[in-house]
Amino acid sequence: MIDDRLNFNSHVDYACEKATKAITALTRIMSNSSAVSSSKRRLMASESTSIFRGGAPVLAAAVITRGNLIRLNSAYRLMAMSIASAYRTISIDAVCAIVGMTPINIVLEEDCECYNCYRLRGTVGARMVARADSMRKWQLAWNSSSKGRWTYRLIPNLSLWVDRKHGEVNFFLTQFRLGHGCFRKYLHRFGHAESPLCPACPNCEETLSTCSSTVLDSGQSEVCSQ
């Protein structure tokens, strides 16, 4: 969609609206508590990714504008949340790492680079080279991000995590990898618990990090189950 200023804001709005509708429809049949595996969720959610990537060379230039990038990330985050079975408080950086989805701005840059290579030189293997560069950019952004630092402690190397040949992501594992879940300090923030303190650990706030540290320090085999 071409607007009078050729900044493609209208195209970004159209793509985000269309992708959001698709994500919402998929979410209705893939609730967080459903038994649908993350790999199947991701396959179905690729419908929305294809909407973003249509006309990638144009969108790659459009995301230079901060407002456009925020709108794209907002819709992209909804898709990643559906795959990870995550709460809405999750950051875009953390959820992309958990489900192994390259951030949308880097994906568009990769598509644009491949397009230029094929158009100008017809280079064989351009996608492989561009993909390696995308992983490098994503790793640098993940290292310097201020969001999802608990997740970063568990997934510091994105390449190893993304290229693994085993394991699915589900509702409970996502809570563990985020630190966002049925922990009293987290629930207390939203008024769902009277106190942030753990009922089993004296003068200790119940968070994933503190309970995990207590277990490691004491040599216990199980974390607090309250």
Side-chain angles (χ1 to χ4, degrees):
M1 299 182 67
I2 302 176
D3 53 86
D4 55 352
R5 296 186 179 182
L6 295 180
N7 55 19
F8 300 103
N9 291 345
S10 299
H11 183 81
V12 172
D13 290 339
Y14 170 76
C16 289
E17 181 180 359
K18 185 176 180 181
T20 300
K21 288 181 179 179
I23 295 165
T24 302
L26 290 172
T27 302
R28 290 172 183 165
I29 62 175
M30 297 188 303
S31 65
N32 284 350
S33 58
S34 69
V36 181
S37 65
S38 60
S39 57
K40 293 179 180 178
R41 289 170 179 264
R42 184 166 185 171
L43 180 62
M44 297 174 71
S46 61
E47 157 81 18
S48 301
T49 308
S50 64
I51 296 173
F52 291 125
R53 298 177 73 174
V58 173
L59 278 181
V63 296
I64 295 176
T65 305
R66 178 175 174 78
N68 287 338
L69 179 58
I70 290 175
R71 287 195 289 273
L72 284 169
N73 276 337
S74 179
Y76 196 68
R77 176 173 162 270
L78 289 176
M79 180 174 61
M81 283 169 50
S82 177
I83 299 172
S85 301
Y87 290 116
R88 287 185 172 270
T89 52
I90 190 173
S91 67
I92 180 68
D93 295 346
V95 73
C96 282
I98 288 174
V99 298
M101 287 173 47
T102 308
I104 187 60
N105 60 311
I106 298 178
V107 171
L108 295 177
E109 290 175 5
E110 178 183 326
D111 287 346
C112 185
E113 183 179 346
C114 289
Y115 169 78
N116 291 330
C117 287
Y118 290 136
R119 182 172 61 89
L120 298 177
R121 299 183 295 275
T123 305
V124 177
R127 174 64 67 177
M128 185 180 297
V129 174
R131 178 59 181 166
D133 189 52
S134 293
M135 288 301 300
R136 180 187 61 80
K137 293 177 182 177
W138 186 15
Q139 184 66 61
L140 290 174
W142 182 227
N143 291 342
S144 60
S145 174
S146 61
K147 304 292 185 180
R149 293 300 86 185
W150 169 258
T151 306
Y152 181 81
R153 291 175 62 183
L154 303 176
I155 311 175
N157 190 313
L158 292 171
S159 294
L160 291 178
W161 175 251
V162 172
D163 294 336
R164 74 191 190 284
K165 303 299 181 182
H166 63 280
E168 295 276 0
V169 176
N170 59 38
F171 176 64
F172 299 103
L173 287 176
T174 294
Q175 290 186 53
F176 175 78
R177 294 186 178 108
L178 285 176
H180 290 191
C182 298
F183 311 107
R184 285 181 179 262
K185 182 177 181 180
Y186 180 76
L187 295 176
H188 181 68
R189 287 173 53 192
F190 304 97
H192 298 306
E194 295 182 358
S195 169
L197 298 179
C198 176
C201 305
N203 301 320
C204 179
E205 292 183 334
E206 186 183 61
T207 67
L208 181 60
S209 57
T210 54
C211 286
S212 297
S213 298
T214 301
V215 170
L216 292 175
D217 292 341
S218 62
Q220 297 176 11
S221 60
E222 296 182 356
V223 298
C224 174
S225 60
Q226 299 297 321

